[in-house]
Amino acid sequence: RRRMRVLELYSGIGGMHYALIESNLSYQVVAAVDINTTANQVYTHNFPNTALLNKTIEGITLEEFNKLSFDMILMSPPCQPFTRIGLQRDLDDPRTKSFLHIVDLLPRLSKAPLYILLENVKGFEKSAAREYLVKTLRECQYTVQEMMVSPTHVGIPNSRLRYYLMAKRSAFQLPRRVLLRTPHLLHTSAHHRTNRTRNSDLSVQQIQAFLEPQEDVHEPQHLLPPKTLLRYAQLLDIVRPSCRRSVCFTKGYRKYVEGTGSVLQCCLDTSVEDVFPSLDQCSEEEKVQKLLDLKLRYFTPREVANLMGFPQSFTFPESVSTKQQYRLLGNSLNVVVVAKLLQLLVTPELQHKDGGPH
């Protein structure tokens, strides 16, 4: 049976490619496209045999797209035009240009792809860019399904609520159980209270399943410094290895404190609940000591990659600094979530065609 030809746009560090592997579909990535040179280094390091185009998407002509003759487009366009903290300039943001180029080319392709999967941030669902995409897809006879999914829905203890759009040239209806509930985004400084409830969902694995072996973590370089503890203790999202939740890791992890990702409590003899209420009564020195006793450390890039569903075979080249690793991961997607959506997008058809799943 012919392998499905896949075009991977905004390929980044290869999250979509890993999702294809994880989905067990029969595929060939005909080209990956990205302009981020560091991300491209990581991609080539992990997928040396995939054709990677280091060029802008709007620089690719209709003729070049037609030559690639693909059955599926995977894409995760720049999210900055749509994020809560961005200016939300939507279609007026120059970073939306490449996305508009793809949407404009869709009706003109000599062979329309059978499948399209797009990932973006929460906020994209209310954008004019999304409206334009859906209108174009419907005009091109696609059936469209949209949803918000977080890795917690597939048992991974990390919140990363994202918008997904799946489009197919034939009719398709997702099983009811897949149209997932949208979890609440509770990232407030009252997280010690609000998150306790989210910790009780036993369908979600514990964080310890995603941690590196202790001996592989060079702890001193990952511990939070006293200065950070003193200034930002109340804003930290602190989790223990037995927790079943963590907040979304962003590209600002370790650079900024609030809302960029959780930190891990390594000393389990004391609890955060015992330390925090009494901090106000302490001198600065006692405060620092109490906080240091919790042994709070950042998650390592490998652990962040684990929580984002990247397999153990995924590695960074040595030339990529730790800071760059966090940035690249913060811009990536959850591999396991996308793999499950790919199966839903493609598999019913495969089962129908030749009598059973592969």
Side-chain angles (χ1 to χ4, degrees), residues 263-276:
V263 296
L264 187 69
Q265 179 187 342
C266 297
C267 170
L268 304 174
D269 305 337
T270 34
S271 82
V272 169
E273 283 79 10
D274 295 338
V275 172
F276 276 73

Side-chain angles (χ1 to χ4, degrees), residues 2-6 69-73 111 113-115:
R2 191 175 80 89
R3 289 189 300 169
M4 189 167 52
R5 295 172 62 83
V6 180
S69 174
F70 41 87
D71 307 302
M72 176 185 271
I73 298 176
K111 182 188 100 180
L114 295 172
Y115 310 102

Side-chain angles (χ1 to χ4, degrees), residues 224-278:
L224 275 73
K227 211 168 72 186
T228 305
L229 291 172
L230 259 184
R231 257 190 91 173
Y232 300 109
Q234 303 289 350
L235 296 175
L236 294 169
D237 183 77
I238 300 166
V239 293
R240 297 160 75 106
S242 59
C243 284
R244 298 177 191 275
R245 50 151 231 93
S246 59
V247 298
C248 180
F249 292 99
T250 73
K251 64 180 188 192
Y253 190 57
R254 277 191 89 147
K255 188 180 175 189
Y256 305 109
V257 172
E258 193 176 4
T260 58
S262 301
V263 296
L264 187 69
Q265 179 187 342
C266 297
C267 170
L268 304 174
D269 305 337
T270 34
S271 82
V272 169
E273 283 79 10
D274 295 338
V275 172
F276 276 73
S278 62

Side-chain angles (χ1 to χ4, degrees), residues 38-56:
T38 321
N40 286 348
Q41 254 177 297
V42 179
Y43 191 102
T44 304
H45 172 75
N46 288 289
F47 298 111
N49 303 322
T50 301
L52 176 63
L53 312 179
N54 183 4
K55 60 194 296 185
T56 65

